């Protein structure tokens, strides 16, 4: 019999709302005189100047208490992560090494990984996949990856030049506070084996500063359940051994589903090749790295040659040991492929349709959605309807979905098969009507307080929350508009940046400036004027934000497994961690979920306690359980209604239409006339959440 909420340990649920991170100690308060080592969870970002935090003393820390072991739980097929923070006192600490031993690890602590060789089709695996000979059978071995956290200085926040408190990442009311997001923030993660002199390993910790190493523990699907014990030992050249911490990992007898919710991420292959070089090999490594984090690359193909170049990535064979891949989702193909992303095939024409058909018929049948991406963020464009009419007469009409991005018009009224709507304008009522009308709906990007945000100058928990939101709301696939936006190539952009030194990577002609937007990856090699900040790795490197997104997607798998056994208890935990999101939230309020990782950590523990021994779900089972979760969510959490709105409770109309009834809007448009309509459209475009790409 499924367990219900009353039988669930009450202490776990009560802990969800009782933990918050106190602000950093003021200068001079709590400043350590001696070096100190502590541990943070994977939802906490610790700035270089954050010394003396209550977390460092174990206060409100989900993972660390002085004198106690680091305790982690995991399912088979999961990656769990934590951070080791080294805090210097009045003297610098030199030559710090952090070693993890035990856990029946596949790699020797501190040993450098060796890149692959041989057939160029088998590109060298990213550092996170390069392991030494396992100490036990590969199906059992836990792989340990360590990354230097690299800091970038934040002097100005993401903003709009005319409205500084607003940005593409948040409404003014949801803007994360300056006192946690100015200064030196860590984001890029560089494997310790290839750390460059400007982000060195062993670590160099300045006086009254912190440095950190991010640690991933990969638990394979074949891992034996039960407790495992290890050690985290921190030594320095200047002060000797700084800490020896016990590490306890409890592997539960259940298997995490791969990619429980669908996140798909675009990249511009030519821009990556220009910066990093070695195009095909780097591109394959990029796909593998995203796949390891439960994110699908979103290929944009416009010719048979491009399909052949990406065939291994599209048919799933790239994610096998034959191609040097040792992560989760072995052999799983991406869910969707774009035919000419962002309108790459131009205007609908019969001769162009022949080219579209030639590309589409080469795509592997395992790909669920083949989307002809007609146009981007131009709701009034005739391209989408034009392409839809053409494709209906095609021999491949049942294979190709014609789609475009548009957030301000009811999807039912859009003459396309698939509508991409900004996640922060998602409307449950519209989405349900679109599904009932046979249309497909995806969301893209997002902004606080309705969803998480890409931006570096925001809490890590935003992207983590997106996984929970996708698991409890019917948002379709979640499209990320870019992952390697180092070139600032928008209309209004200011040209290429070195992302290791400059966080402000995005500008447009509407006055928006963003930090880290469209940039979940960092270049492993930089050529040209940025060569001095090159790591020397022929590939791309992850960010802390990509890790946070992975954590949220894995949490969606937890939700599915827990809910399949105890629906009411699982739904209550999700509601506690994510009280409001999407159209349950108003832009006039801050984000409803915590900006700290501890509540997510404790919620995950609570979900794990609900998962029965031996539990697993296939992709169809996950979809079914999460669809039921979304229905139950509507009964638990009301939709938002702006103060004074005359709309029915819970129907928050997106964008410019919010607070208006459609009838009154039509009358107003008729009265204003053509000139006023043009002005309104121009103003609306100015405020829309698109990137102007």
């Amino acid at each position: 019999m499924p367990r219900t909420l009353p039988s669930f340990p009450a202490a776990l649920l009560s802990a969800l709302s009782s933990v918050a991170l106190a602000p950093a100690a003021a200068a001079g308060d709590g400043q350590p005189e001696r070096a100190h080592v502590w541990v943070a969870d994977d939802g906490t970002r610790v700035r270089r100047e954050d010394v003396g935090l209550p977390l460092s003393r174990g206060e409100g820390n989900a993972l660390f208490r002085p004198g106690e072991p680091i305790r982690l739980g995991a399912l088979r097929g999961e990656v769990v992560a934590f951070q080791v923070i080294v805090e210097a006192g009045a003297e610098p600490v030199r030559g710090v090494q952090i070693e993890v031993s035990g856990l029946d690890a596949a790699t020797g602590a501190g040993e450098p990984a060796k890149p692959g060789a041989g057939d160029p089709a088998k590109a060298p695996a990213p550092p996170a996949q390069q392991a030494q000979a396992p100490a036990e059978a590969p199906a059992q071995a836990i792989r340990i990856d360590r990354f230097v956290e690299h800091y970038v200085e934040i002097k100005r926040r993401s903003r709009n030049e005319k409205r500084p408190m607003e940005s593409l990442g948040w409404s003014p009311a949801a803007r994360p506070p300056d006192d946690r997001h100015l200064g030196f923030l860590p984001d890029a993660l560089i494997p310790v084996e290839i750390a460059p002199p400007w982000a060195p390993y062993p670590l160099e910790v300045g006086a009254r500063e912190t440095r950190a190493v991010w640690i991933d523990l990969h638990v394979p699907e074949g891992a034996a359940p039960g407790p495992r014990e290890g050690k985290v030992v921190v030594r320095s050249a200047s002060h000797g051994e700084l800490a020896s911490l016990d590490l306890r990992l409890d592997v539960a007898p259940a298997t995490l589903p791969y990619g429980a919710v669908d996140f798909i991420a675009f990249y511009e292959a030519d821009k990556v090749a220009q910066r990093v070089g070695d195009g095909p090999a780097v591109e394959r490594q990029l796909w593998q790295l995203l796949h390891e984090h439960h994110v699908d690359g979103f290929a944009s193909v416009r010719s048979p040659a491009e399909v052949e170049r990406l065939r291994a990535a599209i048919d799933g064979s790239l994610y096998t040991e034959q191609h040097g891949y040792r992560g989760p989702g072995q052999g799983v193909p991406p869910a969707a492929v774009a035919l000419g992303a962002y309108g790459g095939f131009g205007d609908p024409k019969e001769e162009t349709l022949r080219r579209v058909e030639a590309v589409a018929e080469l795509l592997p049948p395992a790909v669920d959605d083949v989307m002809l991406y007609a146009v981007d963020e131009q709701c009034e464009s005739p391209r989408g309807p034009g392409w839809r009419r053409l494709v209906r007469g095609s021999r491949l009409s049942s294979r190709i979905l014609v789609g475009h991005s548009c957030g301000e018009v009811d999807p039912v009224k859009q003459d396309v098969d698939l509508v991409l709507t900004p996640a922060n304008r998602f409307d449950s009522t519209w989405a349900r009507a679109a599904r009932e009308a046979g249309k497909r709906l995806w969301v893209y990007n997002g902004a606080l307080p309705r969803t998480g945000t890409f931006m570096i100058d925001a809490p890590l928990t935003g992207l983590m929350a997106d996984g929970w939101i996708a698991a409890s709301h019917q948002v379709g696939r979640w499209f990320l508009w870019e992952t390697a936006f180092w070139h600032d190539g928008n209309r209004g952009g200011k040209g290429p940046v070195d992302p290791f030194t400059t966080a402000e990577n995005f500008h447009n002609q509407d006055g928006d400036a963003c930090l880290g937007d469209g940039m979940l990856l960092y270049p492993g090699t930089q050529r040209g004027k940025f060569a001095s900040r090159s790591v020397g790795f022929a590939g791309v490197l992850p960010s802390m934000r990509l890790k946070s997104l992975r954590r949220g997607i894995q949490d969606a798998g937890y939700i599915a497994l827990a809910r399949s056994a105890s629906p009411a208890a699982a739904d209550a935990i999700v509601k506690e961690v994510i009280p409001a999101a999407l159209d349950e939230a108003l832009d006039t309020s801050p984000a409803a979920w915590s900006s700290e990782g501890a509540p997510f950590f404790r919620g995950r523990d609570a979900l794990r306690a609900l998962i029965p021994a031996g539990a697993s779900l296939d992709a169809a089972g996950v979809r079914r359980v999460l669809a039921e979760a979304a229905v139950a969510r509507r009964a638990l959490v009301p939709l938002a209604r702006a103060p004074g709105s005359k709309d029915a409770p819970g129907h928050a109309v997106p964008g410019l239409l919010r607070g208006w009834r459609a009838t009154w809007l039509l009358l107003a448009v008729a009265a204003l006339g053509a000139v006023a309509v043009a002005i309104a459209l121009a103003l609306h475009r100015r405020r829309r959440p698109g990137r102007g790409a």
Side-chain angles (χ1 to χ4, degrees), residues 79-213:
V79 181
V80 292
F82 62 98
Q83 304 171 72
V84 178
I85 316 294
V86 181
E87 191 171 298
E91 297 178 352
V93 182
R94 307 296 185 193
V96 178
Q97 298 189 61
I98 298 169
E99 299 179 354
V100 182
S101 60
L103 304 177
D104 300 316
T107 57
E111 294 181 278
K114 297 179 176 61
D119 186 348
K122 300 175 183 179
Q129 296 173 20
Q130 297 168 0
Q132 304 301 301
E136 58 174 317
Q140 298 280 326
I142 293 176
R143 193 175 84 232
I144 300 169
D145 294 327
R146 297 166 299 153
F147 302 87
V148 173
E149 297 184 8
H150 175 65
Y151 302 82
V152 63
E153 186 175 14
I154 308 300
K155 295 181 178 179
R156 297 188 70 192
R157 303 289 306 284
S158 298
R159 62 198 178 277
N160 182 277
E161 295 295 352
K162 296 180 181 178
R163 299 175 301 280
M165 299 299 288
E166 174 187 314
S167 86
L168 291 178
W170 50 74
S171 69
R175 184 177 187 265
D178 285 351
D179 63 358
R180 297 299 299 157
H181 298 96
L182 289 173
F184 285 87
L185 271 64
D187 189 59
L189 296 176
I190 304 172
V192 299
E193 297 86 2
I194 57 173
W198 43 269
Y201 186 85
L203 305 176
E204 298 292 318
V205 189
R208 306 214 186 280
E209 291 183 346
T210 68
R211 296 291 189 278
V213 166

Side-chain angles (χ1 to χ4, degrees), residues 581-604:
L582 299 175
D583 52 350
E584 300 161 354
L586 291 173
D587 289 334
T588 51
S589 301
W593 57 85
S594 175
S595 61
E596 311 304 335
F600 287 85
F601 186 94
R602 298 179 191 278
R604 193 174 310 123

Side-chain angles (χ1 to χ4, degrees), residues 282-506:
V282 169
E283 188 174 28
R284 287 190 291 269
Q285 184 267 338
L286 182 152
W287 277 81
Q288 287 186 331
L289 183 63
L290 289 176
H291 192 82
E292 182 181 315
H293 290 79
H294 295 247
V295 176
D296 285 338
F298 193 44
S300 175
V301 291
R302 291 185 297 173
S303 70
E306 289 182 332
V307 175
E308 291 308 311
R309 187 188 84 224
L310 292 170
R311 181 164 296 280
I314 296 172
D315 67 19
S317 61
L318 186 62
Y319 320 116
T320 61
E321 290 190 13
Q322 178 186 359
H323 286 273
Y325 181 78
R326 293 184 55 236
Q330 289 274 331
V332 178
V337 171
L339 301 173
Y342 295 111
F345 273 108
D347 294 329
K349 299 177 182 178
E350 287 287 348
E351 58 269 28
T352 310
L353 178 62
R354 305 285 84 80
R355 291 170 48 209
V356 169
E357 292 172 332
V359 174
E361 64 187 356
L362 292 176
L363 295 173
V367 177
D368 289 338
D369 291 335
V370 177
M371 172 195 179
L372 196 161
Y373 199 151
V375 70
D376 182 54
E377 296 184 343
Q378 297 179 44
C379 294
E380 72 281 8
S381 172
R383 276 191 182 180
W387 271 115
R388 193 185 195 200
R389 287 192 295 271
L390 267 183
V391 169
R392 280 173 176 166
S394 166
R395 68 181 189 276
L396 297 178
S397 59
S398 62
R399 176 69 164 149
I400 300 172
L401 297 167
V402 175
H404 68 193
S405 56
C406 169
E408 55 262 32
V409 178
D410 185 342
V412 171
K413 299 177 182 178
Q414 299 182 43
D415 189 15
V416 291
D417 305 305
L418 190 158
V419 176
L420 285 81
T421 189
N424 54 306
R425 287 193 177 167
F426 177 82
D427 182 275
S428 298
T429 304
W430 280 5
R432 183 175 63 252
R435 289 192 299 271
E436 291 171 351
K439 290 183 181 290
R440 303 288 296 279
L441 186 72
W442 297 355
V443 299
Y444 68 97
N445 301 338
L448 299 166
R450 297 171 183 249
T451 73
T453 173
F454 268 110
M455 311 309 172
I456 290 175
D457 54 328
L460 284 177
T461 55
L463 287 171
M464 192 180 295
D466 285 349
W468 292 66
I469 294 167
S472 52
H473 298 75
Q474 290 185 295
V475 297
R477 307 196 195 284
W478 202 313
F479 173 51
L480 309 179
W481 76 280
E482 245 283 20
T483 52
F485 197 71
W486 314 312
H487 51 280
D488 200 6
N490 271 341
R491 294 184 295 270
K494 297 186 178 182
V497 300
D498 168 19
F500 293 109
T501 58
T502 303
E504 191 170 305
N505 71 315
F506 175 100

